[in-house]
Amino acid sequence: MIFSAPISLSFSLTESCNLSCSHCAVSAKSDNEVMQEKYIDKILNYCIENKVRVLEITGGEPLLFPATLIKIGNQVKTQNIVWGVTTNGLLLNTKIIVELKKAGIYAIKVSLEGPKEYNDSIRGKGSFDLAIKGIKKCVKQGLPVAVLTTLSRKNIGLMDKFVDLLDVLGVNLVIFFPMMPLGRAKNLENFLLEKNDFEKFLSFLASKKTRHLRINIEMPELANKPNSKNLAKGCPIGYSFHVCYNGDVWPCPVFPLVLGNIKKEPLTKIWKNDFFKEIKNSDNLKGACAKCVLKETCNGGCRAMSYLVKGSYFEQDPYCKKFGGTKECII
């Protein structure tokens, strides 16, 4: 089913950042540039006119431009649009948190890579402590917090105490997703996960006990695994899209297929791109996915990973292949 408009939309307010993470998908820069106001307004007007339900603001680091975030929030908060911000957390302070809440923000997503030592090896020395301070301030002010964690071969075995810490801090949700060979992460092939990593981690999550913290893993190819216990959720392609800082429209923030550009054409036209019909048609799948009895459920797993690794978004998800393809999918 293809909707007349997306349910959710994300956009990169900036590619500027106060960190230089070694796996950054957008290869963020240290400049101080923000999306022009006329293009922000174009996105917001589209969301309002088409009753988009969820708006996610990403970067770079959006909190480098707090006044712009507040203005965006004030524009959408009366339109029944749930909006949030993805941040590295370093710039979170009580003042900005209070202002964001007044502007109707629903939640903050803070990126952390695991325990302090590993996180700082990826994000920079001191970044863990600053992010944790920001999280504590959000919790104190009653602003829901989700933590985003990129899984790699290097950190997947370090999550037990990390999850415990997030639970104790009062974080509402932790979302795990695999490292993608995109941006600076193209140079980190030895970090990409393997079959045994997935199996062990899924078993760990399924048995992990938390008091308040909810756990999700953004890997649609895991959704059919018997021990997933609904931890994994499906791919949002066909229900959302992402607008890059330069105006390019991608199917999602890690799927670098340009469907159009908001500087050249309206979002209503871009949403009608045949891609969205093609990607939701499971008959277009190739490889083991084409024969899998569960293809209607997972739609071939992560189409972005297929595109990044194999050059075609209809090819079998490389991560699913590491599960043994069709045979193991249907166990």
Side-chain angles (χ1 to χ4, degrees), residues 77-264:
K77 71 177 182 180
T78 60
Q79 303 297 325
N80 294 319
I81 296 174
V82 174
W83 74 282
V85 173
T86 299
T87 172
N88 58 38
L90 273 63
L91 299 177
L92 285 168
N93 57 55
T94 301
K95 180 181 178 182
I96 184 61
I97 292 168
V98 170
E99 290 179 346
L100 288 171
K101 286 193 67 179
K102 288 180 180 178
I105 192 171
Y106 173 74
I108 282 279
K109 293 181 180 178
V110 180
S111 297
L112 283 171
E113 309 310 322
K116 179 177 178 178
E117 184 176 356
Y118 178 80
N119 179 87
D120 286 6
S121 73
I122 297 292
R123 295 186 161 268
K125 187 176 181 180
S127 59
F128 183 86
D129 288 341
L130 289 173
I132 294 298
K133 287 180 181 178
I135 289 172
K136 289 179 177 179
K137 290 173 182 176
C138 289
V139 173
K140 185 176 181 179
Q141 295 299 322
L143 177 60
V145 179
V147 167
L148 306 179
T149 301
T150 305
L151 292 175
S152 76
R153 203 181 306 172
K154 307 293 184 179
N155 72 345
I156 199 166
L158 306 175
M159 293 299 148
D160 194 6
K161 292 184 179 179
F162 177 64
V163 169
D164 288 340
L165 172 63
L166 299 183
D167 197 20
V168 170
L169 288 173
V171 172
N172 301 83
L173 173 69
V174 58
I175 303 172
F176 295 104
F177 51 92
M179 183 175 289
M180 311 283 279
L182 181 67
R184 295 194 191 109
K186 287 181 181 179
N187 302 317
L188 300 175
E189 288 187 11
N190 62 325
F191 277 58
L192 298 182
L193 297 167
E194 295 181 335
K195 173 183 174 179
N196 290 338
D197 297 326
F198 284 122
E199 295 288 357
K200 293 177 182 178
F201 190 66
L202 192 57
S203 295
F204 157 70
L205 289 183
S207 61
K208 184 65 179 175
K209 304 295 183 182
T210 58
R211 293 182 300 171
H212 311 291
L213 181 70
R214 292 184 295 117
I215 301 173
N216 283 144
I217 180 166
E218 290 197 349
M219 293 185 66
E221 59 272 40
L222 292 183
N224 296 316
K225 299 293 287 184
N227 60 339
S228 69
K229 294 188 177 180
N230 298 317
L231 293 168
K233 57 183 181 179
C235 177
I237 289 178
Y239 308 100
S240 66
F241 58 67
H242 177 75
V243 183
C244 303
Y245 167 71
N246 66 358
D248 285 343
V249 176
W250 292 2
C252 81
V254 292
F255 196 155
L257 176 70
V258 179
L259 302 175
N261 189 293
I262 64 170
K263 297 179 181 180
K264 301 176 182 178

Side-chain angles (χ1 to χ4, degrees), residues 303-324:
R303 304 291 84 216
M305 183 61 79
S306 300
Y307 181 74
L308 289 167
V309 174
K310 297 189 175 183
S312 170
Y313 44 80
F314 292 130
E315 287 292 342
Q316 182 178 334
D317 183 333
Y319 277 145
C320 191
K321 183 177 181 180
K322 291 184 179 182
F323 281 117

Side-chain angles (χ1 to χ4, degrees), residues 49-86:
E49 292 168 4
N50 290 276
K51 295 180 171 56
V52 173
R53 300 177 192 172
V54 180
L55 176 66
E56 185 69 30
I57 304 169
T58 69
E61 177 46 60
L63 287 179
L64 288 170
F65 306 96
T68 303
L69 290 176
I70 301 303
K71 184 176 180 181
I72 291 171
N74 285 328
Q75 284 181 259
V76 303
K77 71 177 182 180
T78 60
Q79 303 297 325
N80 294 319
I81 296 174
V82 174
W83 74 282
V85 173
T86 299

Side-chain angles (χ1 to χ4, degrees), residues 265-291:
E265 53 193 324
L267 281 165
T268 49
K269 180 181 178 181
I270 297 173
W271 180 249
K272 294 177 181 178
N273 190 299
D274 287 341
F275 166 86
F276 291 107
K277 293 180 181 178
E278 294 173 353
I279 201 71
K280 299 304 289 185
N281 185 353
S282 61
D283 291 336
N284 291 326
L285 294 172
K286 299 178 181 180
C289 293
K291 303 173 184 178

